[in-house]
Amino acid sequence: DSGVTQTPKHLITATGQRVTLRCSPRSGDLSVYWYQQSLDQGLQFLIQYYNGEERAKGNILERFSAQQFPDLHSELNLSSLELGDSALYFCASSSRQDAYNEQFFGPGTRLTVL
Amino acid sequence: DQQVKQNSPSLSVQEGRISILNCDYTNSMFDYFLWYKKYPAEGPTFLISISSIKDKNEDGRFTVFLNKSAKHLSLHIVPSQPGDSAVYFCAASALGIQGAQKLVFGQGTRLTINP
């Protein structure tokens, strides 16, 4: 158990809809990262928050947004969903704002868009 | 543009032998490298890392080698055990814009340890 929790575990929705994925980092970790893993793909970095502020951005679509709240949990909002958005979405946390240390990953949310 | 590549999608090794997983990268600015292991229905878990100032780092049965001139790193597992069967991802980090950093992951190699 990494100490990172993600809800929900599975999500099935239709094209055009909007969903929110939730992540609670390990106790004490200030950084939260979001990754997308599509079928047979590696993990694609989406976005990082550190202590409530956006710190780094990856290949995140404009239809996607995220935020980190004062209690350090984070939400990833996906809107106008398309079939290609079906993927595993992982959240990770770390104690530092740079990437020079290990990140602890949650179990992921499997999103299926029909 | 796949900056971190794991060219072998799968690898099968006999229990007790050495497993060698390879990773190539193209960005010479990468200065920190990590290996993660992933079991089905779980998130990746950190295995071992190496800074670009080193060429080898060892932790128990796991050793990572870095060849900067070849832009290549490898993970050696000796001896291989059935519990090592998993997907292994290599990842690399570089200082980006505004001092921010991000991890770039390879596509993963599925390691199967046969009894």
Side-chain angles (χ1 to χ4, degrees):
Chain A
D1 184 0
S2 67
V4 178
T5 60
Q6 288 187 249
T7 56
K9 206 174 177 88
H10 302 277
L11 199 47
I12 301 175
T13 188
T15 54
Q17 295 297 304
R18 172 190 166 96
V19 297
T20 297
L21 312 183
R22 184 189 166 102
C23 168
S24 292
R26 286 191 323 158
S27 177
D29 282 355
L30 299 178
S31 269
V32 169
Y33 304 80
W34 286 98
Y35 292 90
Q36 178 193 58
Q37 186 184 18
S38 302
L39 193 64
D40 294 333
Q41 298 276 325
L43 287 86
Q44 301 290 322
F45 169 71
L46 295 177
I47 197 163
Q48 177 204 359
Y49 279 81
Y50 178 78
N51 203 21
E53 301 285 330
E54 184 183 300
R55 188 74 182 97
K57 220 166 184 175
N59 301 323
I60 187 166
L61 299 172
E62 283 191 18
R63 299 184 286 109
F64 296 0
S65 65
Q67 53 184 325
Q68 187 179 27
F69 295 86
D71 67 352
L72 300 177
H73 92 269
S74 177
E75 292 181 355
L76 179 67
N77 301 296
L78 315 176
S79 61
S80 303
L81 284 168
E82 302 175 359
L83 295 177
D85 297 327
S86 295
L88 265 171
Y89 290 86
F90 289 103
C91 163
S93 75
S94 72
S95 57
R96 294 165 54 155
Q97 62 178 314
D98 60 39
Y100 284 133
N101 66 331
E102 62 177 291
Q103 296 175 15
F104 294 86
F105 282 79
T109 293
R110 182 173 293 280
L111 173 67
T112 303
V113 182
L114 301 175
Chain B
D1 176 23
Q2 189 69 26
Q3 297 186 67
V4 178
K5 291 184 185 178
Q6 295 175 257
N7 291 317
S8 298
S10 62
L11 177 67
S12 189
V13 174
Q14 197 166 0
E15 182 179 357
R17 307 293 281 265
I18 182 171
S19 294
I20 301 176
L21 297 103
N22 294 303
C23 180
D24 296 298
Y25 61 95
T26 56
N27 188 342
S28 58
M29 298 300 292
F30 286 143
D31 57 2
Y32 190 67
F33 304 87
L34 308 91
W35 284 93
Y36 282 82
K37 178 168 80 170
K38 185 181 180 305
Y39 293 120
E42 294 183 14
T45 55
F46 170 77
L47 262 182
I48 192 168
S49 63
I50 187 167
S51 164
S52 61
I53 62 173
K54 293 186 169 184
D55 53 21
K56 177 183 172 181
N57 190 25
E58 198 169 346
D59 184 2
R61 296 186 299 115
F62 302 92
T63 303
V64 56
F65 295 92
L66 176 62
N67 183 333
K68 287 187 290 294
S69 60
K71 294 192 179 69
H72 177 83
L73 68 155
S74 60
L75 174 68
H76 292 210
I77 306 174
V78 183
S80 300
Q81 298 174 352
D84 296 330
S85 295
V87 177
Y88 289 77
F89 292 98
C90 71
S93 172
L95 194 61
I97 299 168
Q98 299 171 346
Q101 289 175 299
K102 59 181 183 181
L103 281 184
V104 180
F105 281 83
Q107 291 174 302
T109 295
R110 182 177 302 278
L111 175 64
T112 303
I113 305 301
N114 302 307

